[in-house]
Amino acid sequence: MFDDIFAAAGKKREDYIDFVPCHPFYRIFDHNNRYFDYNDNEEFTLGQIEKWNADDREGYVRFLNTTKAIFAKGFTELADKPFLKFTDMLKVAPDLIRLQSYLSVYQYVSKYVKDDFLRRCFSFHPLLVGGNPFDTTSIYAMIHYLEREWGVHYAMGGTGAIVKALTNLIEEMGGKIHLNAEVDEILAEKGRVKGIRMADGSLHFSDAVLSNSDVAYTYRSLIDKKYRKKYTNRKIERMKYSMSLFVIYFGTKKRYLDSELKHHNIILGERYKGLLTDIFDKKVLAEDFSLYLHMPTITDPTIAPEGHESFYVLSPVPHLGADIDWTKMAKPYRDRIMQFLEDNYLPDLQANIVAEHYIDPLHFQNTLNSYMGSAFSVQPLLTQSAWFRPHNRSEDFANLYFVGAGTHPGAGLPGVLSSSVIAENLISEDFPL
Ligand SMILES: Cc1cc2nc3c(=O)[nH]c(=O)nc-3n(C[C@H](O)[C@H](O)[C@H](O)COP(=O)(O)OP(=O)(O)OC[C@H]3O[C@@H](n4cnc5c(N)ncnc54)[C@H](O)[C@@H]3O)c2cc1C
């Protein structure tokens, strides 16, 4: 998809940024520090499955074959199509039923895989786009197939290198990027928008407005409520939002290449469903946690000074609908996570930290303007997907368009890039040259 963006500009992505494949895709640890690796090599993954439960070998192959059909429908065919009319939804309904989209990802995986830990390994994917595996539609089982089809890659230099590559491309094409420029209001009238007002008071008028800030925030905080008929504050408040994240970025003056860690590590706690219920439904901050630990210096040592290691660790936590005072809880929560990592994975960690920064749900709300401090915007439930999700062309304003996590198809870079293809096509249709 990144290649397509550069190709559309007559350029080659390779001239701007390097993507390197990660092997394994993930190393997934259970609560006893035993691990499972997988990648796109079927024999390798089957060998790993045999170590856990040889009986699941055949079930996994069947699971994989069915996710291929889900991927073909859910991603290849539909992810870059707009769902603007209810009839668009009706047209795909028979396929969605045939593909058993009424099951959750966890239920779907469990039909094929029996081992409790392997079920977790093949069902965690909705968490990457803000969903609970126990109530995200099984259509999202396609993420497992998507990874196999295209691989799991790291952008050399980190995500910032992607931003830099796109910045260079946009500027070469004559585009202008205004940094530290906050939009305070989208100027609306009945059924249309006219432009934007910036925090410095300047006004910019335009034929159309395309917003990539969080959809819920855009409607609620940037557009006068008297013009909103469908996305009223009440509707926005009633929608369900993805979980938030607590993320600690840190660097150590020691390398940890002799540890069992890989580039992408998922460290699962003993509880799976119970922990997810605490995060998504009960909205309490549990004593235990499951973590994702990123160690990019394994692949790209240049992003840290020589002899140093770079990490981030994230823990999914409830969004701000929970009764948690992060101004008080952030530091003790950070301490618990770091102590756990030191005790189990990174010996002498705290004595070796030379740089550290952490963010909590308040950062997502106050700095990134994500409603409820959610990390992935509108939760990817079946009842909030496709036509049911905020549309890429606003239902309230004919010339307001959305890209990003909260609109169709959803969060994560493949989803967000797909939304940009949809928005571009809609704008081209609405404003023919
Ligand atoms: C820790 C973490 C790790 C992730 N890792 C991956 C990964 O490995 N792979 C993957 O595919 N996805 C990953 N994701 C998900 C992915 O990053 C998001 O789904 C994606 O960035 C969402 O894009 P977006 O454009 O909707 O929102 P954002 O990337 O948040 O962009 C919205 C922008 O709008 C700006 N903004 C908000 N309000 C205003 C305003 N009023 N005026 C001007 N600007 C404003 C914000 O500052 C922000 O920069 C990760 C997410 C997190 C939190």
Side-chain angles (χ1 to χ4, degrees):
M1 299 179 82
F2 281 103
D3 291 1
D4 289 349
I5 294 177
F6 286 88
K11 311 275 182 175
K12 278 205 195 114
R13 191 264 308 152
E14 299 86 313
D15 294 337
Y16 291 78
I17 186 163
D18 279 340
F19 290 140
V20 293
C22 294
H23 169 72
F25 288 174
Y26 306 92
R27 174 158 284 184
I28 307 168
F29 293 90
D30 75 355
H31 63 281
N32 294 317
N33 301 15
R34 281 181 69 202
Y35 60 78
F36 171 80
D37 290 348
Y38 79 85
N39 64 12
D40 50 359
N41 180 321
E42 197 163 325
E43 278 316 306
F44 173 82
T45 304
L46 288 173
Q48 289 281 310
I49 290 172
E50 273 181 12
K51 281 198 213 157
W52 284 85
N53 182 19
D55 290 349
D56 276 332
R57 194 185 150 98
E58 190 251 339
Y60 173 74
V61 174
R62 284 193 292 125
F63 165 70
L64 200 58
N65 290 338
T66 64
T67 55
K68 184 174 182 180
I70 300 177
F71 173 77
K73 188 87 221 163
F75 200 86
T76 314
E77 220 179 286
L78 299 176
D80 59 1
K81 302 281 178 303
F83 276 82
L84 300 179
K85 300 193 286 283
F86 188 57
T87 47
D88 295 337
M89 198 74 207
L90 289 179
K91 273 186 226 151
V92 298
D95 288 322
L96 294 179
I97 293 168
R98 180 175 53 78
L99 294 169
Q100 301 183 316
S101 61
Y102 46 84
L103 296 180
S104 71
V105 169
Y106 187 82
Q107 284 171 323
Y108 191 82
V109 169
S110 301
K111 280 182 16 164
Y112 300 96
V113 175
K114 301 299 165 219
D115 181 82
D116 185 51
F117 181 64
L118 292 178
R119 284 179 171 178
R120 299 176 185 200
C121 293
F122 294 121
S123 70
F124 75 83
H125 298 84
L127 288 161
L128 303 178
V129 292
N132 177 350
F134 288 88
D135 55 28
T136 302
T137 158
S138 63
I139 294 294
Y140 283 87
M142 73 178 166
I143 301 180
H144 183 68
Y145 192 85
L146 182 147
E147 290 176 341
R148 288 185 51 112
E149 182 74 6
W150 288 330
V152 169
H153 290 83
Y154 172 76
M156 291 301 277
T159 306
I162 302 183
V163 176
K164 182 127 194 27
L166 290 171
T167 303
N168 290 343
L169 180 70
I170 290 167
E171 289 180 342
E172 277 169 28
M173 302 292 291
K176 208 167 166 196
I177 296 170
H178 302 264
L179 299 174
N180 303 316
E182 182 148 12
V183 177
D184 247 9
E185 186 184 354
I186 296 179
L187 305 168
E189 54 191 15
K190 196 165 168 284
R192 292 192 75 78
V193 293
K194 295 184 287 190
I196 53 175
R197 181 170 53 79
M198 306 299 294
D200 66 6
S202 61
L203 298 176
H204 302 268
F205 295 97
S206 59
D207 294 327
V209 173
L210 171 65
S211 172
N212 83 314
S213 58
D214 175 44
V215 175
Y217 155 85
T218 303
Y219 276 126
R220 205 167 177 279
S221 303
L222 297 184
I223 305 181
D224 193 328
K225 65 176 188 246
K226 73 176 179 237
Y227 296 115
R228 291 185 272 124
K229 297 281 171 281
K230 171 135 191 192
Y231 278 93
T232 59
N233 288 354
R234 192 175 139 81
K235 173 163 171 77
I236 291 162
E237 280 150 25
R238 287 167 70 117
M239 291 195 310
K240 291 199 164 175
Y241 295 89
S242 73
M243 77 294 190
S244 193
L245 299 172
F246 188 86
V247 193
I248 312 167
Y249 301 86
F250 58 100
T252 57
K253 61 180 189 285
K254 155 181 157 83
R255 296 218 64 183
Y256 282 95
L257 295 175
D258 53 354
S259 73
E260 290 189 322
L261 297 170
K262 294 286 181 190
H263 184 130
H264 294 292
N265 307 280
I266 294 175
I267 302 172
L268 293 173
E270 189 163 6
R271 294 191 311 142
Y272 190 54
K273 186 172 187 184
L275 180 60
L276 291 165
T277 304
D278 283 352
I279 296 168
F280 283 89
D281 303 325
K282 293 189 188 161
K283 300 198 173 51
V284 292
L285 191 60
E287 286 294 315
D288 54 341
F289 36 67
S290 283
L291 304 173
Y292 162 77
L293 177 62
H294 189 214
M295 187 173 163
T297 22
I298 284 194
T299 310
D300 183 3
T302 67
I303 58 164
E306 213 184 317
H308 290 58
E309 205 83 72
S310 168
F311 297 90
Y312 81 71
V313 60
L314 75 76
S315 173
V317 295
H319 65 47
L320 291 172
D323 187 17
I324 302 166
D325 181 353
W326 284 103
T327 60
K328 296 205 175 72
M329 284 313 295
K331 178 69 170 64
Y333 196 63
R334 173 261 173 225
D335 291 346
R336 261 160 56 200
I337 292 174
M338 292 309 231
Q339 194 59 51
F340 170 85
L341 290 178
E342 176 159 319
D343 294 344
N344 293 279
Y345 293 93
L346 299 168
D348 304 323
L349 169 62
Q350 302 191 71
N352 282 292
I353 292 179
V354 289
E356 184 185 329
H357 174 67
Y358 58 76
I359 58 173
D360 62 28
L362 292 171
H363 171 88
F364 285 92
Q365 175 185 261
N366 301 339
T367 305
L368 295 174
N369 287 338
S370 188
Y371 183 62
M372 285 287 188
S374 138
F376 302 88
S377 194
V378 178
Q379 197 178 333
L381 300 165
L382 191 56
T383 49
Q384 299 191 147
S385 294
W387 180 79
F388 298 111
R389 212 168 173 78
H391 295 180
N392 305 89
R393 179 171 55 213
S394 165
E395 293 101 304
D396 279 315
F397 305 96
N399 57 344
L400 172 64
Y401 304 86
F402 288 106
V403 290
T407 185
H408 172 67
L413 298 188
V416 168
L417 292 181
S418 297
S419 72
S420 72
V421 174
I422 300 172
E424 190 212 338
N425 289 338
L426 289 173
I427 293 171
S428 307
E429 273 169 34
D430 295 348
F431 297 89
L433 288 174

